[in-house]
Amino acid sequence: MNILTFDIEEWYHIRFDDEFLDNSRLLNSLEKRLDYNVNLILDMLDQHNQKASFFCLGEVARNSPGVIKLIDDRGHDIGCHSDSHRLVSSMSEQQFSDDLYTALDCIQTEIGKKVHMYRAPAFSIISDNMWAFDVMIDQGITIDASIFPASRDYGGISNIDFPAPRKIITPLGGSIKEFPMSVSSILGKKMVFTGGGYFRLWPYPVIKHIVAKEGYTMTYFHPRDFDYKQPKLEGLSLSREFKSYVGLKKALHKMDLLLNDFDFLSISEADRLIDWSDFSE
């Protein structure tokens, strides 16, 4: 099962610090590149007759009106990716609840329908904030795609094994469907190949080999992953700058190869095919 997803945010959302995200004057001064890049992605998916799931910021609904509606009109899933791209691990339970409520309200107003899927920015649901799943359930989320079963800069839970979709039992005893990020083991180390900077860094033959041999592949791409003309953002660490800008010029071609070589499903399509009793804890 190969699943195709995109996180819909602006190029400058590679920064997660609250001081930066709260600086509305700075953010309003930065070039907006989302409209062009989203249209590029949608046209590419049409060419390959592929459907995908798009996790969108509430901020996008407010500041780039029409973008999320366009994605929905083209027949793709719409999910929530938080309101303004704050890490779940930086918020209290009440702050997360408020953030999710605001984001859902903006997105649902834009498309005129209920949103049932969520993905945390930077996969920032960790072992210390599993309460987030109960908050999601309270607000009508039935499917999550936030679990990253490996170490990463801003999130990840390295001590769990989630090789396929399954139901998560929440701290309050609820249940939510989880579509985790897929990882592969290389020399005993968990590695990711099919999203963000990982996809742009690894040579395509390696990516093709991994996808072909795995039974479950979850992708996560961003509009900026295919935008080699995007500006350089100040204030990034050297490692973060490398991860954000490596391989941009070849990414669109690699994506075309990937869509030629494999069939993908949106999350809603995969959800309808799964017998969830087989994946329950």
Side-chain angles (χ1 to χ4, degrees), residues 159-231:
N159 61 345
I160 65 172
D161 183 20
F162 266 47
R166 65 197 304 175
K167 287 184 180 178
I168 288 178
I169 305 303
T170 71
L172 295 181
S175 176
I176 193 168
K177 298 172 182 176
E178 178 64 33
F179 285 83
M181 191 61 204
S182 55
V183 297
S184 297
S185 180
I186 304 295
L187 299 177
K189 182 176 176 59
K190 293 180 179 179
M191 304 291 290
V192 173
F193 297 85
T194 52
Y198 302 100
F199 176 78
R200 290 182 272 107
L201 174 64
W202 289 99
Y204 181 71
V206 174
I207 296 171
K208 181 179 178 180
H209 172 74
I210 295 294
V211 174
K213 78 179 182 67
E214 296 292 340
Y216 167 74
T217 297
M218 169 63 76
T219 65
Y220 76 105
F221 302 105
H222 312 81
R224 66 175 176 269
D225 287 325
F226 311 104
D227 182 9
Y228 68 90
K229 293 183 179 181
Q230 66 187 275

Side-chain angles (χ1 to χ4, degrees), residues 58-69:
E59 182 179 293
V60 169
R62 294 191 299 274
N63 297 341
S64 300
V67 168
I68 301 177
K69 183 66 165 59

Side-chain angles (χ1 to χ4, degrees), residues 249-266:
K249 286 190 175 181
K250 296 182 178 180
L252 191 63
H253 176 61
K254 290 167 74 173
M255 187 67 181
D256 185 62
L257 292 174
L258 187 69
L259 295 178
N260 269 324
D261 289 337
F262 300 97
D263 292 324
F264 287 87
L265 301 169
S266 67

Side-chain angles (χ1 to χ4, degrees), residues 1-269:
M1 178 177 285
N2 302 319
I3 300 176
L4 187 61
T5 76
F6 296 85
D7 296 346
I8 301 305
E9 60 202 47
E10 274 288 0
W11 61 275
Y12 48 76
H13 283 117
I14 52 179
R15 282 189 62 173
F16 298 99
D17 42 308
D18 286 349
E19 183 178 354
F20 172 80
L21 296 173
D22 282 332
N23 192 337
S24 57
R25 180 176 298 180
L26 171 61
L27 296 182
N28 289 335
S29 72
L30 296 174
E31 180 184 358
K32 303 297 186 291
R33 302 180 64 84
L34 197 57
D35 286 33
Y36 173 81
N37 290 323
V38 166
N39 274 281
L40 183 71
I41 291 169
L42 293 175
D43 290 345
M44 177 173 55
L45 295 180
D46 282 349
Q47 291 170 8
H48 291 277
N49 194 29
Q50 294 276 5
K51 297 301 181 186
S53 298
F54 289 75
F55 292 94
C56 307
L57 298 181
E59 182 179 293
V60 169
R62 294 191 299 274
N63 297 341
S64 300
V67 168
I68 301 177
K69 183 66 165 59
L70 176 63
I71 297 169
D72 182 62
D73 287 345
R74 300 278 279 267
H76 303 283
D77 292 348
I78 301 296
C80 178
H81 192 42
S82 82
D83 188 59
S84 55
H85 214 244
R86 281 181 166 80
L87 301 174
V88 179
S89 53
S90 74
M91 292 188 280
S92 68
E93 186 171 346
Q94 185 60 55
Q95 288 172 327
F96 174 69
S97 180
D98 294 343
D99 180 270
L100 179 58
Y101 180 87
T102 300
L104 289 173
D105 183 60
C106 292
I107 296 168
Q108 290 168 169
T109 298
E110 173 86 0
I111 64 174
K113 64 179 70 170
K114 179 67 178 172
V115 171
H116 299 280
M117 301 189 303
Y118 180 83
R119 172 179 283 154
F123 301 95
S124 53
I125 292 181
I126 57 178
S127 56
D128 292 339
N129 58 18
M130 301 291 277
W131 44 255
F133 294 118
D134 287 302
V135 175
M136 290 183 212
I137 292 171
D138 285 344
Q139 299 198 30
I141 298 297
T142 60
I143 294 175
D144 178 71
S146 302
I147 294 295
F148 193 102
S151 299
R152 59 179 284 111
D153 289 345
Y154 296 101
I157 308 177
S158 60
N159 61 345
I160 65 172
D161 183 20
F162 266 47
R166 65 197 304 175
K167 287 184 180 178
I168 288 178
I169 305 303
T170 71
L172 295 181
S175 176
I176 193 168
K177 298 172 182 176
E178 178 64 33
F179 285 83
M181 191 61 204
S182 55
V183 297
S184 297
S185 180
I186 304 295
L187 299 177
K189 182 176 176 59
K190 293 180 179 179
M191 304 291 290
V192 173
F193 297 85
T194 52
Y198 302 100
F199 176 78
R200 290 182 272 107
L201 174 64
W202 289 99
Y204 181 71
V206 174
I207 296 171
K208 181 179 178 180
H209 172 74
I210 295 294
V211 174
K213 78 179 182 67
E214 296 292 340
Y216 167 74
T217 297
M218 169 63 76
T219 65
Y220 76 105
F221 302 105
H222 312 81
R224 66 175 176 269
D225 287 325
F226 311 104
D227 182 9
Y228 68 90
K229 293 183 179 181
Q230 66 187 275
K232 285 287 184 73
L233 188 65
E234 297 180 357
L236 299 175
S237 66
L238 289 178
S239 62
R240 188 66 183 162
E241 181 174 330
F242 174 77
K243 293 175 183 177
S244 299
Y245 294 100
V246 65
L248 287 173
K249 286 190 175 181
K250 296 182 178 180
L252 191 63
H253 176 61
K254 290 167 74 173
M255 187 67 181
D256 185 62
L257 292 174
L258 187 69
L259 295 178
N260 269 324
D261 289 337
F262 300 97
D263 292 324
F264 287 87
L265 301 169
S266 67
I267 288 179
S268 66
E269 290 172 323

